[in-house]
Amino acid sequence: MHHTPRSYRSVLFAPGNRAEVLRKLPRSSPSVAVLDLEDAVPNAHKAEARLITNEVGAELAAIAGGPAVFVRINAVVSPHFEADFAGVPAGAAGVAVPKLESRDQVGEVVAQLERSGLGGLHIMAGLETALGVHRAAEILDDPLVTAAYFGAEDFAADMGGVRTRSNLEVLHFRSSVALAARVTGTTAIDQIVADFGDDERFSEEAEFSKTLGYGGKLCIHPAQVRLANEAFTPSETEIAQARSLVAVYDEALAAGHASIAHEGQMIDEALVRRSRSIVAEVDGLA
């Protein structure tokens, strides 16, 4: 069974060498389950982790209605890169590739997928270095790249900067990733919140990232999945308001009016566009 991602609202990571943890991933209902062969696995356990992600990942991919399964391989420049593709299981939706820095590196990923008999799988691009963010649009301009995540922690380290709770030091770059994702038709996935016990901060960050154009958030603990799903799923009130606005505006268009007064504000097509996207999203998921 192959689960194509319907959304990237909640992207939950777990160490690829921890079979018992991987098998629990579907319990919190993430949009995407990422079996991590990179940062979460010590070098001495990489080979073992590939065997585990291949076996357990196939089990997860076979769950009807379960999350889309991705494997995060090591970076293209890593000595583990080629071997990691053996850890991608039958039924996987794609691979997450950290620290991508050029169009050529995306080409190497695509070529290795083909060589490994995995051609056509989705690529989730990790933009978490200065060069990667600088070249974001060219990196994401490949049909197999369907999502990109902004890795604020690695990015700040690469810049020689310091992470703060305010996130002001990464605001420009976080916004740049969202912009690159928009112009290339990919989904932008927001940075982690390392303190998985701080629900308020996670929800605040998720709501803010949504205003920047992000479509989901990285999760490092199952408790964060519910918060991400809530933040990136339109509420019943939002859906009702969107349907009402689209109906009223379409009626006005049919009568020859391109702008109307609605609930105390002037409405034109630019303002209706967000409501149309909400309706299309909800109807597509129904």
Side-chain angles (χ1 to χ4, degrees), residues 15-24 52 56 59:
N17 62 331
R18 300 280 305 280
E20 74 284 3
V21 176
L22 297 180
R23 288 191 170 97
K24 294 177 182 177
I52 293 172
V56 178
E59 295 173 13

Side-chain angles (χ1 to χ4, degrees), residues 1 35 52-63 69 89-91:
M1 184 177 294
L35 289 56
I52 293 172
T53 57
N54 190 287
E55 177 185 348
V56 178
E59 295 173 13
L60 299 181
I63 298 173
V69 173

Side-chain angles (χ1 to χ4, degrees), residues 83-149:
D84 280 350
F85 286 81
V88 181
V95 292
V97 188
K99 302 176 180 66
L100 281 168
E101 295 190 324
S102 69
R103 187 195 307 268
D104 287 344
Q105 287 190 344
V106 176
E108 290 185 52
V109 176
V110 173
Q112 189 59 45
L113 284 169
E114 293 286 349
R115 286 193 293 269
S116 303
L118 301 167
L121 291 193
H122 296 267
I123 297 172
M124 182 190 299
L127 301 178
E128 44 197 333
T129 66
L131 195 53
V133 172
H134 179 65
R135 293 174 172 168
E138 74 167 67
I139 290 169
L140 303 186
D141 192 24
D142 186 287
L144 290 182
V145 179
T146 55
Y149 67 84

Side-chain angles (χ1 to χ4, degrees), residues 75-273:
V76 174
V77 297
S78 165
H80 303 289
F81 172 70
E82 289 187 15
D84 280 350
F85 286 81
V88 181
V95 292
V97 188
K99 302 176 180 66
L100 281 168
E101 295 190 324
S102 69
R103 187 195 307 268
D104 287 344
Q105 287 190 344
V106 176
E108 290 185 52
V109 176
V110 173
Q112 189 59 45
L113 284 169
E114 293 286 349
R115 286 193 293 269
S116 303
L118 301 167
L121 291 193
H122 296 267
I123 297 172
M124 182 190 299
L127 301 178
E128 44 197 333
T129 66
L131 195 53
V133 172
H134 179 65
R135 293 174 172 168
E138 74 167 67
I139 290 169
L140 303 186
D141 192 24
D142 186 287
L144 290 182
V145 179
T146 55
Y149 67 84
F150 176 57
E153 315 306 316
D154 283 300
F155 176 81
D158 190 46
M159 288 288 288
V162 178
R163 290 287 284 123
T164 69
R165 185 182 178 89
S166 72
N167 288 317
L168 288 176
E169 73 282 356
V170 295
L171 176 58
H172 171 73
F173 311 103
R174 194 179 177 192
S175 301
S176 295
V177 169
L179 177 61
R182 175 61 64 181
V183 300
T184 55
T186 58
T187 300
I189 307 163
D190 193 36
Q191 63 202 28
I192 68 164
V193 172
D195 183 357
F196 55 79
D198 193 339
D199 289 1
E200 182 178 1
R201 179 179 179 182
F202 187 95
S203 293
E204 287 177 356
E205 282 201 16
E207 290 294 340
F208 180 74
S209 69
K210 187 165 65 171
T211 71
L212 296 178
Y214 278 84
K217 196 157 177 66
L218 301 179
C219 302
I220 58 170
H221 190 278
Q224 295 178 329
V225 171
R226 174 182 59 83
L227 303 174
N229 287 339
E230 288 177 355
F232 292 99
T233 301
S235 68
E236 292 299 323
T237 298
E238 288 175 318
I239 295 169
Q241 290 175 339
R243 290 193 188 281
S244 173
L245 181 55
V246 169
V248 169
Y249 187 73
D250 284 349
E251 185 177 336
L253 279 180
H257 306 294
S259 62
I260 58 171
H262 180 68
E263 296 183 351
Q265 60 178 327
M266 291 303 298
I267 303 297
D268 61 12
E269 181 58 42
L271 292 174
V272 176
R273 195 173 300 139

